[in-house]
């Protein structure tokens, strides 16, 4: 769909071509790219949209390798089932889809979530946790995924499916504070390569598309003014991006990554367990007077986190969320 749009706008889409290096002139200005095809491609400006690993930008010294606490590793499987079976299992009609997110023992205390979403003839099932937490815990991503698939709430949803695809991919999770330099002489960087990912809302595609569009608009404006693609002129891209929802949202949650990284056990294990117990206490009909249930729920929260811990967690979460 995108390729058709791009071609319709008059651009050339060059597939099966790897950019091996940025081409630069004697002053260091980016003037195009070298590829694994013969000859390079000259350009007024290069838009780096190379994804989270950002090898070209890193090699060129435009950004550092993302820190392990600023990237999550997600593993995912695609479970194929007939469309009507998916619709029946998830109670879907027409164009409806279903998303299930799982927090709790599934991530073994690491900052991360399990996820399931329905596509037309497949179900995407996966789990992602911070790389720094995988490194510290020595947990295996696939062991977590296997446990997720075996969970009594998930197993019946995928029974009889055929796994035809699987993937492992990094997700930028460092937020506002992890955004690298976004422009320079002859280059700008967009999307995951610029770490533009809103981990709180699990949005990345829309931030990638919007930053790409804004980069295009900034470059078109500079061209229309017949100005060169210098660092100074390309700062327009950052100025425009700063005014968009992309940076506004990331700025809003700028303290969340550090909070979740350093308190993952509480937020991804203790609280989901306590809330789950509280919900069970609330709905279970077992002849226990409600006042006793409420006392038990309150006592469980205080035992797990102490009064001071509960207040402190609430304040820190509220401050990071605002
Ligand atoms: C498991 C998972 C679930 C996700 N769920 C969601 C979701 O529900 N909602 C959401 O909004 N976002 C989601 N995201 C995030 C979203 O996928 C990314 O934010 C988005 O794809 C980033 O787009 P991008 O174009 O910047 O990078 P990418 O999609 O990574 O594209 C970069 C492209 O550049 C190519 N490339 C890299 N280097 C070179 C080179 N040297 N030469 C040529 N080509 C190169 C790569 O092959 C790749 O095709 C999810 C990500 C993962 C991993």
């Amino acid at each position: 769909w995108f390729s058709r749009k791009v071609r319709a706008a008059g651009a050339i889409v060059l597939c099966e071509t790897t950019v091996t290096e940025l081409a630069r002139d004697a002053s260091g200005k980016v003037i195009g790219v070298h590829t694994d095809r013969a000859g390079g491609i000259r350009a007024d400006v290069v838009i780096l949209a190379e994804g989270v690993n950002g090898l070209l930008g890193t090699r060129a010294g435009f950004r550092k390798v993302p820190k392990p606490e600023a990237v999550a590793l997600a593993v995912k499987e695609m479970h194929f089932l007939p469309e009507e079976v998916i619709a029946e299992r998830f109670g879907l009609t027409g164009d409806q889809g279903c998303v299930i997110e799982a927090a709790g023992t599934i991530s073994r205390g690491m900052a991360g979530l399990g996820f399931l979403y329905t596509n037309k003839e497949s179900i995407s099932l996966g789990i992602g946790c911070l790389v720094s937490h995988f490194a510290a815990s020595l947990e295996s991503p696939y062991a977590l995924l296997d446990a997720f698939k075996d969970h009594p709430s998930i197993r019946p949803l995928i029974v009889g499916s055929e796994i035809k695809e699987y993937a492992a991919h990094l997700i930028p999770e460092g937020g506002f504070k992890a955004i690298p330099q976004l422009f320079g002489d002859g280059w700008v960087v967009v999307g995951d390569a610029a770490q533009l990912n809103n981990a709180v809302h699990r949005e990345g595609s829309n931030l990638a598309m919007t930053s790409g569009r804004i980069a295009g608009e900034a470059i078109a404006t500079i061209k229309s003014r017949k100005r060169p693609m210098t660092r100074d002129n390309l700062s327009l891209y950052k100025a425009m991006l700063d005014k968009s929802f992309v940076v506004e949202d990331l700025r809003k949650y700028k303290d969340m990554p550090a909070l979740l990284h350093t308190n993952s056990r509480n937020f991804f294990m203790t609280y989901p367990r306590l809330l789950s117990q509280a919900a069970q206490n609330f709905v279970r009909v077992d002849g226990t007077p409600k006042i006793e249930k409420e006392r038990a729920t309150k006592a469980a929260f205080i035992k797990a986190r102490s009064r001071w811990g509960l207040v402190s967690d609430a304040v820190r979460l509220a401050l990071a969320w605002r």
Side-chain angles (χ1 to χ4, degrees):
W1 184 85
F2 269 130
S3 299
R4 278 203 302 276
K5 290 265 175 207
V6 168
R7 286 194 184 100
I12 298 165
V13 178
L14 207 55
C15 295
E16 294 182 22
T17 308
T18 302
V19 175
T20 50
E21 203 187 342
L22 297 173
R24 300 166 88 168
D25 67 13
S27 70
K29 181 177 187 293
V30 173
I31 52 169
V33 294
H34 297 291
T35 73
D36 57 356
R37 292 173 186 247
I41 300 168
R42 283 193 73 100
D44 293 338
V45 58
V46 171
I47 301 175
L48 284 158
E50 54 177 336
V52 57
N53 286 321
L55 298 179
L56 294 166
T58 308
R59 269 189 230 133
F62 297 161
R63 53 166 246 174
K64 296 200 170 81
V65 175
K67 293 186 179 142
E69 60 269 27
V71 273
L73 172 63
V75 287
K76 180 176 98 168
E77 288 179 351
M78 300 279 280
H79 289 250
F80 282 76
L81 282 165
E83 197 173 339
E84 55 283 6
V85 174
I86 294 177
E88 196 190 329
R89 277 187 197 172
F90 291 87
L92 308 174
T93 52
D95 274 347
Q96 288 179 340
C98 174
V99 175
I100 297 173
E101 304 239 354
T105 48
I106 186 66
S107 73
R108 314 240 166 105
M110 300 186 280
L113 296 172
F115 59 87
L116 177 155
Y117 39 90
T118 59
N119 309 304
K120 277 231 179 306
E121 293 178 335
S122 63
I123 295 168
S124 302
L125 189 76
I127 179 158
C129 297
L130 284 182
V131 169
S132 55
H133 287 168
F134 273 128
S137 67
L138 297 181
E139 292 283 355
S140 142
Y142 270 93
L144 298 192
L145 185 55
D146 281 344
F148 189 38
K149 284 193 296 186
D150 210 29
H151 191 280
S153 304
I154 299 296
R155 203 185 317 127
L157 300 174
I158 53 169
V159 72
S161 65
E162 188 187 352
I163 305 171
K164 290 194 192 169
E165 292 172 26
Y166 51 87
H169 207 285
L170 293 177
I171 305 178
E173 303 243 329
F176 183 74
K177 292 179 181 168
I179 300 175
Q181 175 66 25
L182 290 170
F183 60 91
D185 277 329
W187 64 273
V188 296
V189 58
V190 301
D192 273 14
Q195 309 293 299
L196 301 174
N197 199 292
N198 184 338
V200 177
H201 288 262
R202 284 154 325 281
E203 291 178 13
S205 313
N206 52 340
L207 278 65
M209 287 188 276
T210 304
S211 57
R213 174 178 59 75
I214 291 174
E217 287 170 0
I219 289 164
T221 304
I222 298 166
K223 269 189 172 287
S224 71
R225 292 176 189 159
K226 302 203 181 335
R227 310 282 288 277
M229 296 295 161
T230 57
R231 181 188 169 94
D232 278 356
N233 289 335
L234 285 166
S235 67
L236 177 65
Y237 162 56
K238 181 169 184 307
M240 289 167 68
L241 196 66
D242 280 349
K243 285 189 202 138
S244 71
F245 80 89
V246 174
V247 171
E248 201 177 310
D249 285 355
L250 293 178
R251 195 181 287 119
K252 170 174 168 11
Y253 295 119
K254 67 180 186 326
D255 296 323
M256 283 299 278
L259 178 70
L260 299 181
H261 177 244
T262 49
N263 293 276
S264 64
R265 206 163 180 85
N266 294 332
F267 288 115
F268 289 93
M269 186 99 134
T270 308
Y271 282 115
R273 182 172 52 78
L274 289 168
L275 291 170
S276 172
Q277 279 170 357
Q280 284 194 36
N281 262 351
F282 190 81
V283 295
R284 194 179 295 278
V285 179
D286 58 6
T288 312
K290 303 297 177 229
I291 191 76
E292 275 182 37
K293 287 177 172 243
E294 278 175 23
R295 280 192 197 123
T297 297
K298 204 170 136 192
F301 272 77
I302 293 169
K303 185 169 178 228
R305 288 299 294 140
S306 80
R307 283 174 199 278
W308 168 244
L310 291 170
V311 173
S312 150
D313 289 345
V315 169
R316 283 185 300 166
L317 188 61
L319 287 175
W321 195 272
R322 68 193 165 142

